[in-house]
Amino acid sequence: MSDSQQTDPAADPVPAPLPRWWSRPADPVGPHEASVPPPRAEPPAEGDPVTAPAPAPAPVPQWWSRPAQPLAAHGGSVPPPRSVPDGNADTDTARDADAEPRYDPWGARPLQAVDQGRAGSRRVRLRQGILLALGIALLAGGIGGYAGVLAERQAGTRLELPQAARTDRGRAPDSVAGIAAAALPGVVTLHVNGAESSSTGTGFVLDGQGHILTNNHVVNGARTMTVTFSTGESVPAELVGGDTGYDLAVVKVDGVRGLRPLALGNSENVEVGDPVVAIGAPFDLSNTVTAGIISATGRPITAGGDKGDGSDVSYVDALQTDAPINPGNSGGPLLDARAQVIGINSAIRGGDGKDSSGQQRGSIGLGFAIPVNQGKRVAEELMRTGRATHPVIGVTVDMEYSGDGARVGERGEGGKPAVTAGGPGARAGIRPGDVITKVDGVRVHGGDELVIKIRAHRPGDRLALTVRREGRERTLDVVLGSANGS
């Protein structure tokens, strides 16, 4: 033992050979064997000499060194292996200075923990990356959706549909619009307050002095009244005069400038089928314009009669029209294609009965207007004297007669003669009991129609009356007389 264990102190120290379990394997280990240290060498058997090795620098553990080639399990992510110290102090010191901190092989955590930590961090980073991508996608989607809604709203506000360009608002003078534009400034709406009720009607301007023509039944019994023009201006008005038999009245406004009188036409020129325009305030809807045609001329109608004694009955040889006329149109103008007044809207044939408010039902296409020729004459008399005159033939008509034609009565009112002595009828040769069948060749079927046909003329006009007497007909010439109206 002595000569095998002693060393020469002067000789260079020879490093002791590394233990077998400390050495590096000849070939690279697999992915699961790299982290397990090689087995320890068997201790020497009894009796074998034990040689104490000379002191030498501690070798680096094999499990601390890195394999010559990258481990397959980590795909080249492990740094190249560190070499084993060779006992050279200079090189070993340099190597130790560059070396990473050594790992304690006897620590609680195994070496595999390093690799597992790296894999876990990769999974964390992958999970974080996915969540970040989802968050970005959701944020981008939200921003894009909001921007889309905003763009849609903005696009909606800027939406423009095709539209015709604005043109000249002028209309042909003979069109409904042209007629209305010419006439409306001269049409007014009347609001009348009476002792027992109030009413609404229509009228139109006759002259620059403020005279306005309307229906008598609109202003009859009025205590106060106001006139409203198409501009919306309202002024008080006063009654000049009215006539029940013609259902016409004239009112007047003062202090109004710029009045637009309507032109008066000639009702003798009207033919069936002519286009017409009616203006009024049906149910207080001012400046309402309707259009239609002349349905008939010379239509005998009576209106009123609420008093029962006949004193309030109006007799009109009317123009019939299908232009809608309703309560409130009364007194308004009926205009021809030249915007000239040819009639004064006065009556309608409405539906049977009255509505829930007690008013007459609306138009069914049967409207009647007083011919403007008759209206002009009556208006002139009312403006001059406040009263109108009626043409008469000086006979009393039997209203109870049911036969065809108008029969002259046997007795007049109060026992007076049925044929006024010295009157127009007596001078023409009319006798009590005669039946008048025609006026100027136009057949009449009753007493009302005879009165209507006579009142369609002026006092002093000459008429040809066809009379049936004792079964024979004869023609008599009559010059109409005059009587004061009511």
Side-chain angles (χ1 to χ4, degrees), residues 65-240:
S65 63
R66 302 186 184 183
Q69 300 295 330
L71 298 178
H74 299 285
S77 61
V78 180
R82 188 180 299 272
S83 61
V84 179
D86 54 4
N88 188 325
D90 296 336
T91 58
D92 289 350
T93 304
R95 289 171 183 169
D96 291 341
D98 296 336
E100 296 177 359
R102 296 190 177 185
Y103 181 78
D104 183 4
W106 310 113
R109 283 179 67 95
L111 182 61
Q112 290 87 335
V114 177
D115 295 338
Q116 290 176 354
R118 290 176 182 175
S121 64
R122 283 186 180 183
R123 286 194 293 270
V124 170
R125 287 196 298 270
L126 179 61
R127 194 176 298 113
Q128 290 176 346
I130 293 173
L131 292 177
L132 180 61
L134 288 175
I136 293 175
L138 290 175
L139 180 62
I143 294 174
Y146 179 75
V149 171
L150 213 61
E152 183 179 357
R153 290 181 179 177
Q154 292 176 353
T157 59
R158 294 193 301 268
L159 177 64
E160 292 187 7
L161 298 175
Q163 184 181 24
R166 183 173 181 177
T167 59
D168 184 9
R169 298 181 62 183
R171 296 292 185 269
D174 59 349
S175 66
V176 174
I179 295 168
L184 278 171
V187 180
V188 302
T189 301
L190 288 90
H191 295 94
V192 179
N193 295 316
E196 299 179 356
S197 62
S198 60
S199 62
T200 301
T202 310
F204 60 92
V205 179
L206 292 173
D207 57 23
Q209 285 72 47
H211 291 100
I212 295 170
L213 183 62
T214 186
N215 283 142
N216 184 72
H217 73 262
V218 172
V219 299
N220 189 32
R223 288 187 174 181
T224 62
M225 70 180 78
T226 59
V227 169
T228 303
F229 293 88
S230 60
T231 58
E233 180 184 5
S234 296
V235 295
E238 295 183 355
L239 178 65
V240 174

Side-chain angles (χ1 to χ4, degrees), residues 388-407:
T389 60
H390 298 171
V392 296
I393 61 174
V395 301
T396 301
V397 180
D398 181 8
M399 295 297 182
E400 302 297 328
Y401 180 67
S402 59
D404 192 44
R407 188 177 69 175

